[in-house]
Amino acid sequence: MSSDEEAASERADSYVLGLLDASDSAKLEAEMETNSALRAAVAKSRDRFLELDLIGSEQPVSPGLWSRIDTSLGKADVASSGDQPRLEPGNDNRLGRWQKTAYAAIAASLVFATALTYTLVGTSRPQVIAILMDEKGVPLVLVEDFGNTSARITPLADFSAPADRSMQVWTLPNKDIGPTSLGLLDGWRTVTLDSRSLPTPHEEQLYEITLEQPGGSPTGRPTGPILVKGFGKVPR
Amino acid sequence: MSDSQQVLAAALTACAQGDKAGLRRIFDMEARRLVTVAQRILRRHDYAEEIVQDAFVQIWNKASQYTPERGSARGWIYAIVRNRALNALRDVKRWELMDTDTLERFQDASQDVFSVDLLASLEQESSLRRCLSQLDEQKRKSILMAYISGYTHGEIAGRLRVPLGTAKAWVRRGLASLRECMA
């Protein structure tokens, strides 16, 4: 086996065992679409370990599970289902796999360009900026957190949320405070949310938007699927 | 086994053609086992069912992408559930929705998975069984903890009370030996 094949097999095994972090997994999944050797290595690895899934006693399933699945399929047919938010593509091209990598680069340069704008234009300067991306790595939202006053949320691409869900913005100031709501988005447009009650935001602070039941999460913690997430950068 | 693989492959083809009976067939054959797999990772039955519910929607939407080149039909279906469960686990840990004590307790409860003689549950003629049994106990345990319960390198190290680098090396070398043994 060549060293390339060996390296592909090693990555494939780590992926199949769940030992890669979320971003490395996503990277590998994207690469798999164009790299047939990697795809073959993943296929082999999955089938090598599959037997482990088939041993031991089985759990029963709730009697309603099939009808819940059936109902979700119906929703997915009509528009975007609750759990599978669909990005409205800006053009007819299907999202190419290579583009995911490109998007990450775009996001990075957006942070830089945004920071440059504050310097040049002298507008009020956010303490951190975060680009929130969906699970495919597409940047959808810009967050500018002005510290102990407000945070501005700016959509970067079109998106339609399911009509029966609320979009809720969250941040994780630190582990003691835990995930904290910045508020609900009442539409897909630029909005300013109140962040007065939160500590000063810091580098690498997590921001995300989840789809919650109408009126927001009932628990005060994120409960719904994550639409986008990203980490704060201090503009330099 | 190979018969059921053919049935599953045919069911995926049916899904790709918009035939819901194909999805129902996969559900009838695999749902209980898939919930079991998700629950081993997430430790909660309600989460596991949610994951499986979402995964079936994804199977339905992506069935046309399945080709034998992507491995066995069952392997492909299970990978969708496993990936969703692992992603959900990463999210739960990231937000620390479960406090550490609770998480520890869940993981302790799932420890019994590793203490029963897992190898004995594998088919007698299974090459996975033969090759796993040739590994040192620590390497075997590390690999099983990652695959079956979604443990990270850090959690494996903590659980086996060794430095992170040691746990990583056990996993890496164990996986390399398995690949060689099963080639």
Side-chain angles (χ1 to χ4, degrees):
Chain A
M1 185 181 279
S2 76
S3 61
D4 278 1
E5 279 174 79
E6 183 61 28
S9 304
E10 193 171 329
R11 278 181 74 202
D13 274 353
S14 299
Y15 166 71
V16 167
L17 260 68
L19 289 168
L20 300 183
D21 63 25
S23 72
D24 285 345
S25 287
K27 221 182 280 170
L28 185 140
E29 280 166 8
E31 201 179 321
M32 215 162 79
E33 296 306 315
T34 52
N35 179 340
S36 59
L38 185 61
R39 191 157 64 231
V42 169
K44 259 183 162 172
S45 180
R46 278 176 186 161
D47 283 333
R48 198 179 299 135
F49 290 103
L50 180 61
E51 281 171 68
L52 290 172
D53 288 333
L54 307 179
I55 55 175
S57 54
E58 284 184 345
Q59 295 293 327
V61 301
S62 313
L65 184 58
W66 170 256
S67 64
R68 294 207 299 275
I69 291 169
D70 201 8
T71 314
S72 329
L73 295 182
K75 267 195 246 157
D77 289 341
V78 179
S80 43
S81 83
D83 293 327
Q84 299 270 306
R86 297 264 171 81
L87 183 68
E88 309 277 40
N91 56 40
D92 292 330
N93 293 333
R94 285 201 52 212
L95 188 66
R97 319 290 174 186
W98 60 270
Q99 281 179 296
K100 287 177 201 166
T101 330
Y103 278 125
I106 294 170
S109 61
L110 266 175
V111 170
F112 178 72
T114 313
L116 198 63
T117 317
Y118 300 120
T119 320
L120 296 178
V121 186
T123 48
S124 123
R125 199 179 151 90
Q127 303 205 348
V128 306
I129 302 168
I131 305 287
L132 310 192
M133 295 187 269
D134 70 5
E135 58 180 7
K136 295 194 178 71
V138 181
L140 283 185
V141 174
L142 171 70
V143 175
E144 298 158 284
D145 194 332
F146 295 94
N148 324 49
T149 52
S150 62
R152 185 161 61 205
I153 314 294
T154 309
L156 301 172
D158 290 338
F159 174 80
S160 40
D164 58 347
R165 298 291 190 99
S166 285
M167 291 183 282
Q168 192 161 10
V169 185
W170 303 88
T171 188
L172 184 64
N174 60 48
K175 283 174 185 166
D176 292 339
I177 297 180
T180 307
S181 174
L182 279 167
L184 297 172
L185 297 183
D186 51 4
W188 195 245
R189 55 187 170 74
T190 302
V191 290
T192 301
L193 302 171
D194 186 348
S195 66
R196 266 173 303 184
S197 58
L198 294 174
T200 308
H202 55 83
E203 182 89 4
E204 290 299 306
Q205 181 161 321
L206 180 67
Y207 292 85
E208 70 180 31
I209 300 178
T210 60
L211 292 174
E212 300 289 343
Q213 65 184 58
S217 162
T219 65
R221 298 285 194 196
T223 58
I226 298 170
L227 180 60
V228 285
K229 63 183 176 194
F231 296 92
K233 297 274 175 231
V234 175
R236 296 181 171 92
Chain B
M1 181 88 168
S2 61
D3 280 355
S4 63
Q5 287 283 16
Q6 279 167 15
V7 173
L8 289 171
L12 284 176
T13 308
C15 289
Q17 293 162 349
D19 177 2
K20 231 180 236 182
L23 194 68
R24 179 66 205 227
R25 166 148 291 185
I26 299 171
F27 181 89
D28 289 340
M29 287 171 70
E30 306 294 333
R32 293 191 328 148
R33 178 55 63 185
L34 289 168
V35 169
T36 307
V37 168
Q39 187 171 340
R40 284 176 186 165
I41 293 171
L42 291 165
R43 287 123 193 162
R44 272 184 54 170
H45 191 78
D46 51 347
Y47 289 175
E49 285 204 356
E50 269 179 49
I51 291 294
V52 169
Q53 182 184 334
D54 290 350
F56 267 87
V57 176
Q58 203 180 339
I59 290 165
W60 175 253
N61 290 333
K62 288 175 64 176
S64 61
Q65 293 173 19
Y66 172 70
T67 61
E69 185 218 13
R70 292 179 183 268
S72 71
R74 183 178 272 120
W76 186 83
I77 290 166
Y78 277 61
I80 288 180
V81 170
R82 294 184 56 82
N83 287 344
R84 290 196 87 96
L86 288 167
N87 284 335
L89 182 65
R90 289 183 188 114
D91 282 339
V92 167
K93 284 180 185 162
R94 184 176 47 94
W95 285 118
E96 305 208 14
L97 289 185
M98 285 194 231
D99 61 73
T100 320
D101 285 352
T102 322
L103 196 60
E104 287 275 305
R105 260 205 311 282
F106 273 120
Q107 298 197 332
D108 277 336
S110 68
Q111 273 293 89
D112 53 9
V113 173
F114 309 110
S115 56
V116 297
D117 192 357
L118 262 182
L119 298 187
S121 334
L122 293 169
E123 304 272 339
Q124 196 73 44
E125 66 278 16
S126 149
S127 59
L128 181 65
R129 174 178 176 154
R130 176 173 55 81
C131 295
L132 275 173
S133 68
Q134 288 172 12
L135 294 181
D136 305 343
E137 200 194 336
Q138 295 105 323
K139 289 180 189 155
R140 181 167 64 236
K141 241 184 175 171
S142 308
I143 289 172
L144 294 176
M145 286 166 104
Y147 188 85
I148 295 175
S149 291
Y151 279 48
T152 62
H153 283 124
E155 288 164 343
I156 294 168
R159 185 60 55 190
L160 300 180
R161 300 181 203 291
V162 293
L164 180 61
T166 307
K168 283 188 172 176
W170 281 346
V171 171
R172 195 180 59 246
R173 290 189 208 133
L175 288 172
S177 308
L178 271 188
R179 284 197 298 274
E180 197 176 329
C181 177
M182 292 179 76

